Amino acid sequence: MKLTEREQGGVVILEPKGKIMGGPDATVLHDKIHDLIAQKKLRVVINLAEVDWMNSTGLGILIAGLTTLRDNKGDLKLACVTDKIQSLLTITKLVTVFEAYDTVDLAVASF
């Protein structure tokens, strides 16, 4: 998984690309979220448009990120959720936990 970062309107947008399957991927995303919290950047959008697949470990990474940010008075929102990822979120009922938006702009505007 490759991870890029940019900011828009005071919101950090993380853009993973490829598969989120745990292992080194878990460390990259986990460390990035903790770096953002240390920098007091507590509003985060994860753009999932370029994520091919995510397993249960990947879902765990997202949940950990959401929990960590909310514990620090921040929030994490999802954007551009693909059909495959949407199915995972629906099956696991995580669709009720995450706020997901069709575009990054809508997710940023929701803060």
Side-chain angles (χ1 to χ4, degrees):
M1 175 189 75
K2 293 181 179 178
L3 183 66
T4 58
E5 174 187 345
R6 62 185 173 97
E7 284 193 48
Q8 179 179 323
V11 177
V12 176
I13 301 161
L14 299 178
E15 298 178 314
K17 185 174 183 179
K19 298 176 182 174
I20 302 177
M21 304 289 284
D25 296 342
T27 304
V28 170
L29 198 51
H30 175 270
D31 290 350
K32 175 53 71 181
I33 289 173
H34 282 271
D35 287 348
L36 294 173
I37 290 169
Q39 298 171 37
K40 303 293 184 201
K41 296 179 178 179
L42 302 174
R43 299 186 303 169
V44 178
V45 170
I46 297 183
N47 179 358
L48 295 174
E50 300 291 327
V51 174
D52 300 325
W53 183 244
M54 179 183 307
N55 66 6
S56 60
T57 303
L59 288 173
I61 294 167
L62 292 183
I63 293 167
L66 175 69
T67 303
T68 302
L69 280 162
R70 286 187 177 167
D71 286 348
N72 286 277
K73 303 189 185 318
D75 206 356
L76 182 152
K77 300 183 181 189
L78 304 178
C80 307
V81 178
T82 63
D83 290 343
K84 287 181 180 177
I85 306 297
Q86 183 66 38
S87 293
L88 282 175
L89 294 174
T90 300
I91 290 168
T92 58
K93 300 192 185 301
L94 292 174
V95 72
T96 62
V97 175
F98 288 101
E99 287 184 44
Y101 297 88
D102 291 340
T103 67
V104 170
D105 288 341
L106 288 173
V108 168
S110 71
F111 280 99

